[in-house]
Amino acid sequence: MDEQPAHPVAPVPAALFDDEREQRWRSRFTAVRMSRPTWAEDAPDRNVYVSNSSGTFEIHAWDRATGARRQVTDRRNGTTSATLPPDGDTVWWFADTDGDEFGHWVTQPFDAEAGAATEPAVPGVGDGYSAGLEIGRRLVATGVSTDDGTTLYLHERGSAEPARAIYTHTEDSGIGALSEDETLLAISHSEHGDSRHPSLRVLRTADGSAVADLHDGPGKGLAPLEFSPVAGDQRLLVGHERRGRDELLLWDPTTGEDRELAIDLPGELVGGFTPDATALLVAHTHAARTRLYRYDLASGELSELPVAPGCVGSAEVRDDGTVEYSCSSAATPSQIRALRPDGSDDVLVAPPGERPPGSLPVRDVWAAGPEGDVHALVTEAPHQGDAPAPAVFVLHGGPQAADEDRFDAARATWVEAGFTVVEVNYRGSTGYGSAWRDAIEGRPGLTELSDVAAVQDALVADGTVDAARCAVDGWSWGGYLALLAAGTQPQRWAAAVAGVPVADYVAAYADEMEQLRAFDRALFGGSPEDLPQLYREASPLTYVHAVRVPVLVLAGENDPRCPIRQIDNYLDALAARDDASYEVSRFDAGHGSLVVSDQLDLIATEVDFVRRALRD
């Protein structure tokens, strides 16, 4: 075996600031945080949520009747995927190995202590990557993805008999929704070869036969959101993009009735039924903010809910009509609140201890780009004399995601360190319509970077940033873009930081989970074997010879999304150059770490690296 070159290791600084600021930035990570609790349908006092109270993000249970809270999972690399069945008797969570996302669902009693014994949740289902889970009172539907494709299963709860496969295909698919009477199962599939724009099928749970299909054609995806919660009502709420943005429709697969909901709001919509199915709770996202509305299904009346200021994270309606939701802004840490039928709105539950310190607000920037205005969020650090502060362009992952006006401890750390933070919702981002999201198809990577360049040029022109003191940073797809920027835009950047990136696209495709291979085939129009030149043009490895700025790479040893071998290929290519300046930080987890101490070390390493690079 060839000996691997030794790569320079990025040091973890002992401290970034003086004592007061050091305490402030660290407390944003170490303060106890929790997700919005979700409850069991038939036992609403039983809830689960994710919290970092142990120093690692783990599953916790909360009994509202007694007030008791306890930690459910206790694993070295943390746990974040969990749910409750309707009866709330057990907690279901996904068990993988050291963050590799490959595993199976397990259960343990709701009242068990942390670390208690578990048992496989669905007999006869082997390990794989999760392709969805729906738990009914009688049936469980679950999906498993492997290199061979996806298989969807049904299982009678409580039965020792193995689950039965009801659907299998080499292309990507997933569990969508189970009807209230559990006779129908909605699934998403990409039999047409495009997992970015899936179609729907409803199956009979009795025998797996098809009831109906919904397919809107090329470039128009469909998402099964949920069936009506009322017995005998077989309407399925579906997300569609027939008019070039995410909207809502009701589809009854048993009758074929298809009703598009005319909700006249700019931006994009997602939603869910109220418990009596007379209305929808609609989350409306526009220009990096999400707000809540109620849509009456009989009258079509739309009314905005008077939730707290900020950007809503998630929300759900309880049986009494209370809307429980999370919200935050760039300046204000997240809260979990309850908007009650009488109009009162207060904090539902708060984590123990002090709230983390706030930060500075963002401002909106719209810059003229190659194919339309590009939206960016800017958090401007105070100027140092007459000169603007150094800037870090933090590029989001996904690419089907977006930066929003939400609280982010990492953003606040950069600002604390004296950097202006620029977050660009480049083409490929969600929230700006289907055409904007899909504009990167056939030319990923370089398309997004042309939008980033347009924002940078606009901010240089108006004096917000100094062209000579800009760094580019990102994780996942954002890390990929940062590496690609270092090789294709070396004149624009003083440093590049890439967390868990795609670095060698061909090797990444070979090693990544099949769900992402399907995504890449849809994104590029085929596999690397079909389109070798296009993959080469999109791969940071192709441009490694042109890198002229210091590069920091942060990589997870067990990452199934951006696997370690392809990152090592890139690092080896840098090492083969005599003039390359780069450092590496490897951590023992998957696509990021759920351990708070790791998160502290990683952001401190990033900030320290960019500081040193800009000083040089």
Side-chain angles (χ1 to χ4, degrees):
M1 180 182 293
D2 293 336
E3 184 176 339
Q4 293 295 309
H7 300 299
V9 177
V12 179
L16 291 176
F17 309 108
D18 57 53
D19 289 347
E20 181 180 347
R21 287 196 300 159
E22 187 73 13
Q23 173 62 28
R24 190 162 59 232
W25 86 264
R26 287 181 174 273
S27 67
R28 294 191 181 100
F29 287 89
T30 58
V32 178
R33 289 171 279 168
M34 61 184 292
S35 65
R36 181 182 63 81
T38 59
W39 57 88
E41 184 178 354
D42 297 335
D45 281 340
R46 293 194 163 190
N47 294 243
V48 292
Y49 60 91
V50 177
S51 176
N52 67 334
S53 60
S54 68
T56 300
F57 283 89
E58 296 283 7
I59 307 302
H60 293 248
W62 174 32
D63 188 328
R64 297 195 191 197
T66 66
R69 301 190 208 180
R70 67 174 185 85
Q71 184 176 325
V72 176
T73 55
D74 185 10
R75 304 197 304 149
R76 185 167 66 94
N77 283 298
T79 319
T80 57
S81 295
T83 191
L84 293 171
D87 58 23
D89 287 349
T90 53
V91 178
W92 294 48
W93 51 273
F94 193 78
D96 65 353
T97 302
D98 294 333
D100 66 0
E101 301 181 48
F102 193 89
H104 59 275
W105 290 94
V106 299
T107 68
Q108 64 188 90
F110 181 86
D111 294 323
E113 294 300 319
T118 63
E119 58 183 51
V122 188
V125 176
D127 283 359
Y129 300 107
S130 177
L133 175 72
E134 282 285 297
I135 311 173
R137 297 173 180 86
R138 179 175 57 88
L139 295 176
V140 177
T142 189
V144 175
S145 175
T146 67
D147 285 347
D148 296 325
T150 304
T151 301
L152 308 181
Y153 297 88
L154 276 174
H155 176 64
E156 295 276 350
R157 288 189 62 194
S159 170
E161 293 296 315
R164 54 190 169 94
I166 58 164
Y167 178 89
T168 186
H169 204 279
T170 55
E171 290 292 344
D172 194 33
S173 59
I175 297 294
L178 194 62
S179 64
E180 177 68 15
D181 63 9
E182 300 179 38
T183 63
L184 304 177
L185 175 67
I187 69 170
S188 63
H189 70 84
S190 51
E191 293 174 7
H192 53 292
D194 181 1
S195 69
R196 285 170 54 87
H197 305 93
S199 300
L200 300 188
R201 180 169 299 151
V202 172
L203 306 175
R204 294 181 181 88
T205 59
D207 58 11
S209 61
V211 176
D213 285 270
L214 200 60
H215 175 63
D216 279 353
K220 295 180 179 179
L222 295 161
L225 299 176
E226 63 181 47
F227 276 99
S228 164
V230 174
D233 182 356
Q234 303 293 50
R235 292 177 300 170
L236 176 67
L237 183 63
V238 175
H240 73 91
E241 47 185 319
R242 294 173 177 176
R243 287 180 290 273
R245 65 188 184 104
D246 288 342
E247 297 181 87
L248 299 169
L249 63 84
L250 289 174
W251 177 45
D252 188 331
T254 64
T255 65
E257 182 184 359
D258 175 345
R259 173 191 169 193
E260 296 179 15
L261 303 180
I263 299 178
D264 187 18
L265 292 171
E268 306 201 336
L269 309 172
V270 70
F273 285 100
T274 57
D276 60 5
T278 63
L280 299 179
L281 178 65
V282 177
H284 166 239
T285 300
H286 179 60
R289 280 90 177 172
T290 298
R291 305 297 289 170
L292 295 180
Y293 290 77
R294 185 185 188 276
Y295 179 79
D296 186 274
L297 289 170
S299 67
E301 180 183 355
L302 182 71
S303 53
E304 184 172 2
L305 299 184
V307 295
C311 185
V312 173
S314 68
E316 193 172 359
V317 186
R318 287 178 71 86
D319 285 346
D320 67 356
T322 297
V323 177
E324 297 184 356
Y325 67 100
S326 61
C327 69
S328 71
S329 70
T332 308
S334 181
Q335 289 185 324
I336 300 165
R337 303 183 65 88
L339 177 62
R340 306 183 194 281
D342 64 5
S344 62
D345 184 7
D346 51 31
V347 174
L348 170 70
V349 59
E354 295 184 2
R355 275 170 56 82
S359 187
L360 297 181
V362 296
R363 67 177 173 91
D364 297 271
V365 170
W366 294 87
E371 296 294 336
D373 288 347
V374 185
H375 187 206
L377 300 176
V378 177
T379 312
E380 194 165 353
H383 283 210
Q384 301 168 352
D386 294 331
V392 57
F393 283 64
V394 179
L395 308 182
H396 69 73
Q400 292 187 197
D403 284 313
E404 295 187 325
D405 184 7
R406 304 180 189 274
F407 191 77
D408 184 281
R411 179 205 293 124
T413 303
W414 283 108
V415 175
E416 195 84 63
F419 287 87
T420 288
V421 178
V422 182
E423 298 165 292
V424 182
N425 284 332
Y426 49 72
R427 277 172 289 170
S429 302
T430 46
Y432 301 87
S434 303
W436 189 261
R437 181 200 63 211
D438 293 344
I440 66 173
E441 291 181 354
R443 191 177 180 264
L446 299 175
T447 299
E448 298 93 298
L449 289 180
S450 62
D451 289 343
V452 174
V455 172
Q456 185 188 33
D457 288 344
L459 294 176
V460 168
D462 71 11
T464 300
V465 304
D466 178 352
R469 295 200 298 164
C470 291
V472 61
D473 171 277
W475 280 71
S476 191
W477 194 264
Y480 158 63
L481 293 178
L483 282 190
L484 195 62
T488 63
Q489 301 174 331
Q491 76 285 357
R492 287 187 173 273
W493 310 109
V497 177
V500 293
V502 175
D504 171 357
Y505 223 127
V506 174
Y509 181 91
D511 294 353
E512 68 192 3
M513 56 204 298
E514 170 56 28
Q515 290 148 311
L516 288 183
R517 283 199 288 266
F519 181 91
D520 284 338
R521 290 193 297 272
L523 183 62
F524 282 83
S527 69
E529 184 176 309
D530 303 323
L531 301 164
Q533 182 59 30
L534 186 56
Y535 276 82
R536 280 196 295 271
E537 289 175 358
S539 179
L541 182 63
T542 301
Y543 310 99
V544 71
H545 66 280
V547 174
R548 294 290 178 266
V549 300
V551 172
L552 169 65
V553 176
L554 308 105
E557 298 282 2
N558 308 312
D559 192 344
R561 298 173 180 266
C562 297
I564 197 69
R565 179 176 72 95
Q566 54 94 26
I567 291 175
D568 283 337
N569 291 348
Y570 184 89
L571 295 173
D572 291 349
L574 277 179
R577 291 179 41 185
D578 294 333
D579 60 343
S581 173
Y582 72 100
E583 294 175 7
V584 184
S585 176
R586 298 167 81 110
F587 53 93
D588 185 17
H591 199 60
S593 177
L594 299 175
V595 180
V596 173
S597 60
D598 285 352
Q599 295 176 351
L600 287 165
D601 288 347
L602 291 167
I603 187 63
T605 300
E606 293 178 68
V607 172
D608 178 67
F609 175 83
V610 173
R611 276 177 162 177
R612 289 186 283 113
L614 266 60
R615 280 200 300 266
D616 295 342

